[in-house]
Amino acid sequence: MAEKKTFYITTPIYYPSGNPHIGHCYSTLACDAIARMKRMQGYDVMFSTGTDEHGQKIEKKAIEMGVTPKAYVDDIVANFKKLWATLGIKYDRYVRTTDDYHIKTVQNMFEKLYKDGYIYKSEYKGKYCTPCESFWTESQLVDGKCPDCGREVTEASEEAYFFKLSEFGPKLKELLLDPEKNFLEPKSRVNEMINNFIEPGLQDLCVSRTSVKWGIPVTFDEGHYVYVWMDALTNYISLLGFMNDTYNDYEKYWPADMHVMAKEIVRFHSLIWPAFLMALGEPLPKKIYGHGWITFDGGKMSKSKGNVIDPFVLCERYGVDALRYHLLREMVFGSDCPYSNEQMFARINSDLANDLGNLVSRTTAMVIKYFDGTLPEEKEFTEADNDLLEQLDVLPDFVSETFETMRFSEGLAKIFSVIARANKYIDENEPWKLAKDDTAKPRLAAVLYNLLDAIRRVAILLEPVMPHTSPKIFEQIGADESNTTWEASKARHALAAAVTVTKGEVLFPRIDIDKEIDELNKMFPAAEEEKGKDLEPLKPLTKFDNFAALDLRAVKVLSCEKVEKSDKLLKFKVDDGFGERQVLSGIAKYYKPEELVGKTLAMIVNLEPRKMMGLESNGMILSVKYGDGYRVVEFDDSVLPGSDIS
Ligand code: MSP
């Protein structure tokens, strides 16, 4: 028996430095839709996603929160996985860069590249912020100062390993310009890579650090940790078992058919990644696809008025498939795509409720009304059917071609133009008139059969994008497994001749747009002037007892100083009315310590003690979000320390 053809598609591995938002959804949804289509087309698919868990940013966040980096990322990874489950993402493998097998691969690969002379030891020079223990490049500095704490930086250097990226310029240029390969899509990015990076001369790439310790140790040089891209990009082969014993799929799936990502990391995938693979002597991926960004209010994500973009909320209120459809329909490959709830509602109403939903409900209702739900075998097909049938015949290849080149918007627009054609076919053939004439029954049966079969064919093509909706449609129109395969979308009249339909639920209820925007505003209130600020959504209701369990008091600040080696933490001595206590608060960026001495603040005094940066904190000082920072909640001098807040 011939072996199944394989297909390997990847999303970027996301940084778990914050919870996933709707921007993260696009690459993953696109890959999921392609993977689903390829499975339907009979491919043996490997669809991978995961998280990129090492690095300075995560190390710092964890320190701020007083937890280990691993505990910190575990929580966020759980949220990523929850989002993918909610969105119906059917990945085959989830790689975490903290997984043992991945660590093995990176270490083995680093050793090999070192032995083969592609990695060498030298000095990393940069701007160093001593309190933050961080190196920065010139372009990362803000007004010449540390972007994290705003303090002066100094020239510094540390021992580090480098990868000889500079040697690969000519080969990479050849790869990018190879007309057979079309390695990088969209093509506009090819020139960008060549003109901005290859032509000016590629710099060798720093691949280890000693100052960032949350990383994979270099096996042969203690104190060195593999740095960022060598760790991250390697995920695409570690998860197949390259240089590790956990998996054995490398021969089967590599090279990847498609690496999908947004534009800001195309450079790493189209220059650095192939260079690593060339140095290893391994095959290169077949295609890199760099799509645009989902933007919000012109770039910045905003949870302000009516613009809620929490994907969990959207899925719950409007349905997973509506969101999947909207995002894939809206983004034109290669361009950015502004997100708006209003536009999504309009799309749901016009495409999903009006065109698709109505076509299904009208057609099944007529089969029930005129034939008690089961069509007779005898039918009279005529030339008037040809246009619809011909449009359906060319659809599968077009959809396949557009989807697998990330042109979902084109493919979906075409499917919906055929759905519109089917709706027009109803009006042209006026079944309600045919129903009045007994001799016209065979023609009426043919018209309704053509419609059911058209619905079957478009629903198959929509299944990769709307995997929860198509099965419901199949059930309503009496389709079964034999006539809902991808191949069956190419066949005319594959439904049983005496097909039986059932009345099902409304697939996509219409949305009252104004009312819905109002609802969202009530759920996520934001004053007009708050527009653009990142308000947290309201939490669910809780019992009064939960509030009563907290002991809130006014406290007087006796002393305040910065915590060494932390750019966030301040250490306080406060008088809580009963005595002195030490408390830490992450507001160092917003206050000079001396500003706070003598102030009377609000504090939760009965939280269990917690250690941060080796110091114990006994309670929590309350602050309120203010612009991009925080202000402490404070009382005037007349309020006595220890006074109860309720
Ligand atoms: N960890 C690296 C990638 C390593 S891959 C070997 C990284 N992570 S990230 O969390 O910042 O994710 C970047 C990716 O998230 C983008 O390339 C894109 O796939 C997705 N998106 C995040 N926000 C996005 C939008 N607003 N719009 C579209 N996609 C974006 O970079």
Side-chain angles (χ1 to χ4, degrees):
M1 212 174 80
E3 285 219 354
K4 268 185 167 185
K5 279 202 285 182
T6 60
F7 187 82
Y8 178 26
I9 184 166
T10 70
T11 75
I13 50 169
Y14 302 102
Y15 288 130
S17 51
N19 280 326
H21 55 71
I22 206 165
H24 291 113
C25 299
Y26 187 80
S27 303
T28 309
L29 274 178
C31 289
D32 184 62
I34 295 171
R36 283 174 182 272
M37 178 177 80
K38 289 286 175 183
R39 285 187 202 110
M40 288 172 79
Q41 293 173 339
Y43 285 80
D44 176 336
V45 173
M46 170 63 79
F47 161 28
S48 74
T49 189
T51 24
D52 184 1
E53 306 184 5
H54 293 123
Q56 188 171 328
K57 200 163 165 193
I58 284 165
E59 192 178 36
K60 280 190 165 184
K61 285 220 168 185
I63 290 172
E64 270 163 42
M65 292 179 68
V67 295
T68 63
K70 183 65 169 48
Y72 173 77
V73 292
D74 280 352
D75 270 359
I76 297 187
V77 168
N79 286 337
F80 268 95
K81 288 189 171 174
K82 191 170 146 209
L83 177 60
W84 302 148
T86 304
L87 285 173
I89 305 294
K90 236 171 106 182
Y91 54 78
D92 298 292
R93 202 155 288 171
Y94 191 101
V95 55
R96 301 183 56 174
T97 53
T98 50
D99 285 336
D100 288 343
Y101 69 85
H102 174 79
I103 293 171
K104 238 267 92 65
T105 298
V106 172
Q107 289 180 329
N108 288 337
M109 188 172 128
F110 198 99
E111 274 181 31
K112 178 171 167 42
L113 291 174
Y114 179 69
K115 280 197 194 117
D116 293 348
Y118 288 105
I119 286 180
Y120 63 93
K121 197 169 182 174
S122 178
E123 277 210 326
Y124 177 82
K125 289 195 184 70
K127 305 283 178 190
Y128 190 70
C129 174
T130 313
C132 293
E133 292 185 48
S134 302
F135 272 101
W136 304 104
T137 59
E138 196 74 55
S139 63
Q140 287 173 316
L141 300 179
V142 177
D143 299 329
K145 304 225 166 90
C146 171
D148 256 13
C149 72
R151 279 178 284 210
E152 295 294 336
V153 290
T154 50
E155 283 291 342
S157 64
E158 69 176 23
E159 219 182 46
Y161 286 90
F162 284 79
F163 172 75
K164 286 186 183 166
L165 185 62
S166 57
E167 282 191 3
F168 291 89
K171 273 182 152 182
L172 290 169
K173 187 170 170 185
E174 197 181 312
L175 168 71
L176 288 168
L177 291 176
D178 188 333
E180 304 273 286
K181 291 203 172 97
N182 285 318
F183 181 69
L184 172 59
E185 299 278 0
K187 300 227 172 6
S188 56
R189 304 220 194 282
V190 171
N191 285 339
E192 193 184 315
M193 293 304 124
I194 293 178
N195 298 338
N196 297 355
F197 302 106
I198 299 181
E199 293 302 351
L202 292 168
Q203 305 285 315
D204 286 351
L205 179 79
C206 179
V207 288
S208 82
R209 285 297 175 80
T210 52
S211 56
V212 181
K213 300 196 170 14
W214 174 235
I216 298 176
V218 173
T219 45
F220 52 87
D221 199 346
E222 210 186 316
H224 286 261
Y225 296 86
V226 181
Y227 191 65
V228 184
W229 288 98
M230 176 151 282
D231 176 1
L233 290 161
T234 306
N235 90 85
Y236 300 129
I237 49 178
S238 71
L239 71 87
L240 297 178
F242 179 75
M243 287 189 161
N244 72 59
D245 296 330
T246 303
Y247 293 111
N248 194 16
D249 295 315
Y250 184 70
E251 295 298 322
K252 187 170 176 191
Y253 293 108
W254 190 255
D257 293 271
M258 283 175 86
H259 288 314
V260 174
M261 72 220 61
K263 57 188 180 182
E264 81 289 355
I265 54 172
V266 160
R267 173 157 74 98
F268 305 101
H269 285 78
S270 62
L271 300 176
I272 295 175
W273 181 224
F276 285 165
L277 291 162
M278 286 171 184
L280 286 166
E282 296 297 323
L284 307 182
K286 292 181 195 158
K287 288 266 198 183
I288 308 290
Y289 282 90
H291 58 75
W293 284 330
I294 297 181
T295 58
F296 311 89
D297 289 351
K300 191 173 170 288
M301 195 190 280
S302 155
K303 287 179 194 147
S304 63
K305 242 185 168 181
N307 197 9
V308 178
I309 30 81
D310 177 342
F312 290 105
V313 175
L314 294 180
C315 286
E316 196 191 306
R317 291 182 79 82
Y318 316 113
V320 177
D321 283 7
L323 179 62
R324 289 176 63 112
Y325 172 73
H326 174 67
L327 292 181
L328 292 173
R329 172 68 183 81
E330 208 64 17
M331 164 106 61
V332 173
F333 180 61
S335 309
D336 286 349
C337 166
Y339 176 84
S340 106
N341 283 324
E342 229 164 319
Q343 233 158 10
M344 172 159 124
F345 299 154
R347 241 265 178 254
I348 294 177
N349 283 350
S350 69
D351 296 8
L352 301 183
N354 269 4
D355 295 353
L356 175 62
N358 267 347
L359 177 65
V360 176
S361 63
R362 276 167 96 190
T363 306
T364 51
M366 287 190 285
V367 177
I368 292 168
K369 184 166 173 197
Y370 304 136
F371 294 106
D372 280 338
T374 302
L375 289 183
E377 302 250 350
E378 194 193 351
K379 299 184 185 77
E380 184 192 328
F381 296 105
T382 72
E383 294 224 324
D385 304 334
N386 289 352
D387 186 49
L388 176 62
L389 289 170
E390 280 158 17
Q391 290 204 22
L392 284 160
D393 290 343
V394 293
L395 203 52
D397 284 347
F398 184 79
V399 169
S400 183
E401 207 254 315
T402 50
F403 281 14
E404 69 188 17
T405 49
M406 297 281 296
R407 287 147 56 219
F408 288 99
S409 134
E410 261 178 81
L412 289 169
K414 186 62 127 218
I415 297 177
F416 275 80
S417 78
V418 178
I419 290 172
R421 180 67 192 88
N423 275 315
K424 191 163 154 236
Y425 175 85
I426 302 183
D427 300 335
E428 287 166 356
N429 288 284
E430 301 180 305
W432 45 92
K433 284 197 183 149
L434 297 171
K436 288 185 184 139
D437 175 1
D438 265 355
T439 63
K441 284 268 151 142
R443 178 62 193 147
L444 176 61
V447 168
L448 296 180
Y449 183 77
N450 273 330
L451 287 166
L452 289 177
D453 209 54
I455 294 170
R456 174 188 66 82
R457 295 174 76 179
V458 294
I460 294 172
L461 303 178
L462 284 172
E463 192 169 346
V465 173
M466 298 201 281
H468 311 89
T469 304
S470 292
K472 288 185 201 161
I473 296 178
F474 296 145
E475 201 180 324
Q476 295 190 22
I477 63 167
D480 59 38
E481 274 162 28
S482 73
N483 50 32
T484 52
T485 61
W486 189 268
E487 209 43 37
S489 70
K490 298 176 183 164
R492 289 183 176 187
H493 295 169
L495 278 178
V499 64
T500 300
V501 305
T502 40
K503 191 171 157 45
E505 59 180 297
V506 175
L507 295 171
F508 297 98
R510 271 189 74 81
I511 295 177
D512 180 333
I513 297 184
D514 289 341
K515 195 166 144 243
E516 196 52 39
I517 296 277
D518 270 358
E519 285 290 313
L520 291 182
N521 287 346
K522 271 187 232 144
M523 280 170 71
F524 302 94
E528 197 58 34
E529 65 270 21
E530 288 286 339
K531 242 189 156 167
K533 298 231 180 78
D534 223 2
L535 289 188
E536 287 300 317
L538 291 179
K539 292 181 184 159
L541 294 179
T542 187
K543 299 222 170 341
F544 178 76
D545 287 351
N546 289 337
F547 170 71
L550 294 176
D551 197 351
L552 285 149
R553 305 288 178 128
V555 297
K556 195 169 181 80
V557 180
L558 303 173
S559 70
C560 177
E561 60 185 86
K562 291 205 149 180
V563 172
E564 250 184 50
K565 294 194 178 162
S566 164
D567 53 323
K568 297 265 165 66
L569 288 179
L570 290 180
K571 184 175 83 174
F572 294 80
K573 281 254 156 13
V574 297
D575 175 3
D576 63 16
F578 298 87
E580 267 182 45
R581 62 164 80 203
Q582 173 172 295
V583 59
L584 303 174
S585 179
I587 51 174
K589 282 190 183 167
Y590 320 116
Y591 287 99
K592 293 200 180 82
E594 58 272 24
E595 282 179 78
L596 293 165
V597 177
K599 280 191 192 291
T600 305
L601 308 180
M603 183 167 136
I604 307 176
V605 294
N606 65 336
L607 285 179
E608 287 170 359
R610 205 170 122 190
K611 275 212 156 158
M612 288 182 266
M613 304 288 290
L615 298 168
E616 197 172 82
S617 180
N618 299 286
M620 191 167 114
I621 290 175
L622 300 187
S623 305
V624 61
K625 187 117 180 66
Y626 188 82
D628 286 329
Y630 282 89
R631 308 295 299 170
V632 288
V633 176
E634 59 178 294
F635 306 107
D636 66 35
D637 277 341
S638 61
V639 174
L640 291 176
S643 302
D644 201 32
I645 304 171
S646 56

